[in-house]
Every structure is written in structure tokens, then in C-alpha cells.
Amino acid sequence: GGGYKAAGLLLNIQAIKDREQELEEARLLAEKAELKQSFLANMSHEIRTPLNAIVGFSDIVAETQDEDEKKEYLEIIHKNNDLLLHLIDDILDFSKIESGTLDYHISEMNIKEICEEVFLASSLKMKPEVKLVFDKELPSIRLKTDPQRVMQVISNFVNNAIKFTEKGSITISYKREGNYLRVNVQDTGIGISEDDRKRIFERFIKINEFKQGTGLGLTISRTIIESLNGAIGVDSVKGSGSTFWFTLPLE
């Protein structure tokens, strides 16, 4: 009878293990559903905030005679327009990632041209005490990848740095490392704690609740870089800035 008892015990243990696995899967599903729920609530809040500003200030502009005041209100409208467009782009990209339909167009590109373009576009968004830096003497490096998506990632890095940097500089740079290209965006901002660094590229994570934006940019960036066979990461010391980086194969 000992054999039967042992076999019965093993079956019981297996049943318990199966049950545990089922519970774990159910827990993960519930967690995902809850994340999606809070994500949707967060998104509708994020969209409503700039929309309210745009609608509110448009009404005021229509009634204001003072030219200086008008200019000030138009700037606020313009800023919120930008924010809204970014939000919607992020949400659309994110839904494409979720459904596996984010597309890539591979062609030959020069990383120098891409960085220069991001540099020019981002120069206008800088805070008064922050300088955007890009060394125009860097050599051209050519590679086959998706130029639009690479530009999107670098822009995401720079926009992120702008949010969290009040003074100092944000530097865009790149270099060849063996068979890889490495691109860095380094800032002198608030930095990121070690715990947050582990989570920052995950879905629906927003490290700082007080900054506007979806917090989706980094998740999207990670998907893009990994789809282009690269790696992505961040080096940071809390309180003294961060360097967001990615690598892409040159061959």
C-alpha cells in the first residue's frame, strides 16, 4: 500500500501546484485588467487637462483686447496643442504595440542627420536655464534601420529630460562601440532611484505623478529598439542626472 500512498501524495502535490499556477495566472490577469483600467482613467484625465486649457484660453483670447495678454494666452494654447498631439501619438502607437501592428520601414540612414534634426526641433522647447548640447563635429555613422522610429526614440529621451531638468544641460551624443552604434541623451536633472530605474521602461509606469504626459514614451521606445535588434537602458544617480541610451547593430 506504501506505493499507492506515495503516488496519491504526489498527485495531491501536483494538484496543489496546478492550483497555485492557476491562481498566479488569475492574479496576473486581474493585475493586467486593473492596470488597463487605471491606464484608461489616467489617459482620459491626461487628455482632458490640455483640452480644457485649449478651450478655456481660446474663449478668453476671443474676448481680450490687450495684445500682450493675447500673446500669453496663445502661447499657453500652443503648448497644450503640442502636448495633446504627443499624447494622442503615444496612445495610437501604444495600441498598435498591443495589437502587434506597429510597422517599421528600414532604410539606410545617417545618425548624425537624425540627431541634428532632433536637436533643432527640441531647441525651441528648452527651459530658460537649460542648454541643449550636440557636437556638430561628430563623425557621420551610417546604418540600416528605421530612421523615423529612431528619431522618435531620441525625441522621447530628450522630451523626458526636458521635463525633469530645471537647470544645466541636456546632451545628445553617439559613438561606435564594436559592431554597435550607441546613442546617449544625458541630462543634469533630478535623476532616478534604483527601484524606479528597474521599472521605468515597463507598461503604464509613471514615476512622477505631477508631470504631464502619458509615461508611455519609454515603453514605446523600448518596443521600438528591441524590434530593431538593439538594447535600451538608463544610467542614473538620484539627484544628479540621468543618461538614457540605446544601441543598434551597425551590420
Side-chain angles (χ1 to χ4, degrees), residues 167-179:
K167 57 175 186 284
S169 61
I170 295 169
T171 307
I172 305 169
S173 65
Y174 60 81
K175 60 176 187 248
R176 188 188 288 269
E177 274 183 4
N179 291 332

Side-chain angles (χ1 to χ4, degrees), residues 10-247:
L10 280 174
L11 278 172
N12 272 343
I13 290 170
Q14 191 51 51
I16 291 168
K17 275 192 173 159
D18 289 348
R19 189 82 188 98
E20 273 179 356
Q21 196 179 341
E22 276 170 26
L23 283 170
E24 179 59 14
E25 280 167 9
R27 191 186 66 75
L28 284 173
L29 272 175
E31 205 172 80
K32 205 172 172 192
E34 199 178 314
L35 275 173
K36 266 206 163 131
Q37 206 47 50
S38 70
F39 167 74
L40 288 171
N42 196 356
M43 284 312 106
S44 55
H45 166 74
E46 291 289 350
I47 288 171
R48 216 169 282 136
T49 311
L51 257 183
N52 284 340
I54 292 165
V55 172
F57 282 103
S58 301
D59 288 347
I60 297 171
V61 165
E63 291 163 14
T64 302
Q65 301 306 313
D66 187 306
E67 286 305 316
D68 285 344
E69 268 181 43
K70 256 189 189 161
K71 203 171 157 204
E72 202 177 311
Y73 298 146
L74 285 169
E75 257 171 39
I76 295 171
I77 293 170
H78 186 70
K79 204 176 110 190
N80 281 282
N81 277 339
D82 267 1
L83 198 74
L84 197 55
L85 286 173
H86 271 297
L87 276 168
I88 289 165
D89 279 346
D90 277 358
I91 292 167
L92 290 175
D93 271 350
F94 190 75
S95 63
K96 283 181 193 164
I97 288 170
E98 287 281 88
S99 61
T101 56
L102 194 67
D103 50 348
Y104 297 91
H105 303 282
I106 307 300
S107 63
E108 183 154 308
M109 62 162 241
N110 181 353
I111 189 64
K112 185 174 186 176
E113 287 169 10
I114 299 283
C115 288
E116 279 180 340
E117 211 165 312
V118 174
F119 174 75
L120 285 172
S122 305
S123 300
L124 308 168
K125 303 181 197 164
M126 303 306 291
K127 291 174 187 165
E129 292 185 34
V130 185
K131 191 171 187 291
L132 187 62
V133 181
F134 175 65
D135 177 5
K136 291 196 165 65
E137 299 305 306
L138 283 170
S140 287
I141 299 178
R142 304 194 76 81
L143 66 155
K144 264 200 160 69
T145 187
D146 184 330
Q148 282 316 109
R149 293 290 176 202
V150 170
M151 191 184 290
Q152 185 179 350
V153 174
I154 301 171
S155 297
N156 273 338
F157 281 0
V158 173
N159 287 336
N160 217 40
I162 290 171
K163 268 188 221 169
F164 298 109
T165 309
E166 294 304 324
K167 57 175 186 284
S169 61
I170 295 169
T171 307
I172 305 169
S173 65
Y174 60 81
K175 60 176 187 248
R176 188 188 288 269
E177 274 183 4
N179 291 332
Y180 283 85
L181 165 75
R182 183 185 174 98
V183 177
N184 292 324
V185 173
Q186 184 177 10
D187 67 56
T188 57
I190 56 176
I192 306 159
S193 71
E194 199 174 328
D195 281 354
D196 288 343
R197 276 208 301 286
K198 290 193 187 91
R199 298 161 46 231
I200 200 161
F201 291 101
E202 284 173 20
R203 312 186 150 196
F204 310 140
I205 295 293
K206 209 172 158 188
I207 300 300
N208 187 322
E209 290 305 322
F210 302 107
K211 298 284 181 185
Q212 272 183 308
T214 55
L216 286 180
L218 293 175
T219 304
I220 294 167
S221 299
R222 175 185 172 180
T223 304
I224 290 171
I225 295 300
E226 287 176 356
S227 301
L228 296 171
N229 302 319
I232 193 169
V234 58
D235 307 321
S236 180
V237 176
K238 181 118 176 108
S240 62
S242 313
T243 301
F244 280 87
W245 56 268
F246 65 82
T247 59

